[in-house]
């Protein structure tokens, strides 16, 4: 677990650090999944990302 | 009395001009450039390949920025979608958040939630640069606070950044490729739609009200309260990261344009 992974010639990252970043990322997604709420009172806002219309 | 009102109004306008309006300008500029980059990558690789190779990581960062900012401001998540190959109606991803319209804090949140992909994307590109680029030039620390000194320091910073990138390209092609891939992928998702822009308006009024209240308080209890220096410095970091990301996106757009031209020249020759 403690071996160093060489990502580049100049930069080395501890495998723990990579696993930590992935864990934080995964935890955030799990938190979002577990905290989804349906039919709660309040105002809904939808934020969506679309393709540029001129591409299609 | 008139002097106080004049002073409070002028200081509020100065704060809005220095802190809020540049964010709008930079966000619109960034959205435009990111849209062009997305269009150019889609032309080179095709839409589905763009989504699979570049689109979804950028969309994930985009939607996560909205969601995490929403959680900070007490909004509730109703839906979170990222489409790996692009969804229906040209959708790449979406997030649905619910808030209490009677809460000023949650309404103020709409301003930051709508702009979050610009901050989130810039932060991810900056962190990637910190990790992958050795000897990354330090972000300019403007002491005098004038626009011209900021512009001059920004110019020096961008030139140093260019030299560092050229050096990295010469010394380590793998790191350069990985950095450019993440920058292109995340950069193409740093966009705000017109509806997102409209969602910032109520929050913008609340922000203006907060500035007004702050300057009124300063007049009432004296010069005891200040806007923390760390907040001003953070704004400089955010502006710098967005400007650097915008320039990087422009360079990447130009690169993909050249690839497209070379490819079309070869295909017309083969015919």
């Amino acid at each position: 677990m403690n071996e160093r992974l060489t990502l580049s010639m100049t930069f080395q990252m501890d495998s723990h650090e990579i696993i930590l970043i992935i864990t934080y990322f995964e935890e955030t997604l799990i938190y979002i999944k577990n905290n989804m709420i349906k039919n709660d009172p309040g105002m809904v806002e939808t934020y969506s990302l679309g393709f540029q219309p001129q591409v299609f | 009395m008139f002097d106080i009102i004049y002073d409070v109004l002028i200081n509020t306008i100065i704060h809005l001009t220095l802190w809020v309006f540049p964010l709008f300008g930079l966000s619109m500029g960034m959205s435009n450039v990111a849209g062009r980059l997305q269009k150019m990558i889609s032309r080179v690789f095709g839409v589905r390949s763009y989504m699979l190779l570049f689109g979804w990581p950028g969309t994930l960062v985009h939607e996560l920025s909205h969601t995490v900012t929403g959680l900070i401001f007490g909004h509730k998540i109703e839906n979170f979608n990222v489409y790996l190959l692009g969804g229906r109606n040209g959708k790449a991803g979406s997030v649905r958040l619910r808030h209490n319209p009677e809460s000023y804090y949650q309404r103020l949140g709409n301003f930051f939630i709508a702009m979050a992909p610009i901050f989130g994307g810039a932060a991810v590109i900056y962190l990637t640069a910190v990790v992958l680029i050795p000897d990354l030039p330090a972000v300019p620390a403007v002491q005098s606070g004038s626009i011209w000194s900021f512009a001059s320091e920004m110019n020096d910073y961008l030139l140093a950044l260019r030299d560092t990138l050229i050096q990295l390209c010469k010394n380590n092609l793998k790191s350069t490729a990985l950095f450019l891939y993440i920058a292109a992928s995340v950069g193409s998702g740093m966009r705000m739609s017109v509806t997102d822009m409209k969602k910032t308006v109520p929050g913008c009024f609340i922000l203006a009200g907060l500035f007004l209240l702050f300057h009124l308080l300063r007049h009432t209890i004296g010069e005891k309260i200040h806007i923390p220096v760390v907040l001003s410095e953070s704004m400089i970091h955010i502006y710098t990261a967005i400007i650097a990301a915008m320039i990087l996106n422009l360079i990447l757009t130009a690169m993909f344009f050249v690839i497209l031209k070379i490819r079309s020249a070869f295909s017309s020759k083969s015919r």
Side-chain angles (χ1 to χ4, degrees):
Chain A
M1 284 294 259
N2 266 329
E3 78 275 20
R4 297 192 72 83
L5 297 177
T6 308
L7 279 186
S8 68
M9 278 161 66
T10 44
F11 175 75
Q12 289 195 318
M13 200 177 201
D14 199 286
S15 58
H16 267 308
E17 288 165 10
I18 296 174
I19 291 164
L20 201 67
I21 291 170
I22 295 169
T23 311
Y24 274 134
F25 192 68
E26 201 184 347
E27 287 292 320
T28 312
L29 288 175
I30 291 168
Y31 182 85
I32 289 169
K33 197 185 162 199
N34 291 341
N35 283 277
M36 280 190 190
I37 283 164
K38 286 271 176 201
N39 304 322
D40 205 55
M43 204 170 152
V44 174
E45 295 282 7
T46 306
Y47 301 87
S48 61
L49 179 70
F51 298 120
Q52 289 295 92
Q54 62 267 39
V55 179
F56 305 96
Chain B
M1 183 65 186
F2 179 76
D3 283 353
I4 293 172
I5 294 170
Y6 178 79
D7 197 50
V8 165
L9 280 177
I10 284 292
N11 279 315
T12 305
I13 290 167
I14 287 172
H15 260 126
L16 283 174
T17 312
L18 287 176
W19 284 28
V20 182
F21 299 144
L23 274 183
F24 270 114
L26 286 174
S27 300
M28 281 197 280
M30 188 69 227
S31 299
N32 189 297
V33 174
R36 282 170 201 279
L37 176 63
Q38 188 209 52
K39 188 176 151 186
M40 210 50 82
I41 304 175
S42 299
R43 278 188 180 172
V44 172
F45 292 102
V47 175
R48 282 188 163 252
S49 306
Y50 158 74
M51 268 314 290
L52 196 64
L53 292 171
F54 295 89
W56 73 266
T59 309
L60 191 62
V61 171
H62 181 106
E63 302 306 346
L64 269 178
S65 307
H66 280 310
T67 314
V68 171
T69 318
L71 288 171
I72 292 168
F73 283 92
H75 290 226
K76 288 169 183 170
I77 314 152
E78 233 186 51
N79 203 333
F80 182 91
N81 285 317
V82 172
Y83 303 105
L84 199 63
L85 287 170
R88 278 174 291 177
N89 307 325
K91 252 187 190 178
S94 69
V95 57
R96 201 159 65 228
L97 301 171
R98 199 175 271 274
H99 73 280
N100 175 10
E102 285 171 19
S103 160
Y104 282 106
Y105 178 66
Q106 292 190 13
R107 273 164 63 195
L108 173 69
N110 282 334
F111 175 82
F112 294 101
I113 295 166
M115 283 198 171
I118 310 285
F119 298 124
V124 170
I125 293 177
Y126 178 72
L127 287 176
T128 312
V130 168
V131 168
L132 290 176
I133 305 173
D135 310 321
L136 192 71
V139 173
V142 180
Q143 300 298 328
S144 63
S146 91
I147 298 275
W148 295 117
S149 69
F150 176 66
S152 154
E153 293 206 27
M154 192 68 210
N155 184 43
D156 293 344
Y157 172 74
L158 290 171
L159 287 174
L161 197 63
R162 182 200 63 184
D163 294 342
T164 313
L165 272 175
I166 291 170
Q167 205 58 40
L168 181 74
C169 195
K170 280 179 188 166
N171 295 337
N172 194 333
L173 208 60
K174 262 194 279 180
S175 286
T176 316
L178 185 61
F179 174 69
L180 289 180
Y181 167 71
I182 294 172
S185 165
V186 175
S188 67
M190 288 171 71
R191 288 184 287 121
M192 271 175 84
S193 62
V194 179
T195 35
D196 282 358
M197 281 277 179
K198 282 179 187 165
K199 281 171 194 153
T200 61
V201 176
C204 196
F205 280 113
I206 297 172
L207 207 61
L210 282 175
F211 278 131
L212 201 70
L213 197 70
F214 171 78
H215 288 294
L216 267 173
L217 270 172
R218 275 192 92 173
H219 265 285
T220 320
I221 62 170
E223 301 280 309
K224 285 173 195 163
I225 50 167
H226 297 279
I227 288 180
V229 179
V230 66
L231 214 59
S232 322
E233 281 178 357
S234 306
M235 290 306 285
I236 299 283
H237 274 74
I238 290 166
Y239 288 170
T240 311
I242 297 174
I243 292 169
M246 207 191 307
I247 291 171
L248 197 64
N249 269 16
L250 270 174
I251 294 167
L252 287 165
T253 309
M255 269 171 56
F256 282 106
F257 179 74
V258 171
I259 293 170
L260 196 71
K261 284 287 159 196
I262 292 170
R263 203 180 64 182
S264 56
F266 270 105
S267 61
S268 62
K269 259 187 186 178
S270 62
R271 269 182 227 146

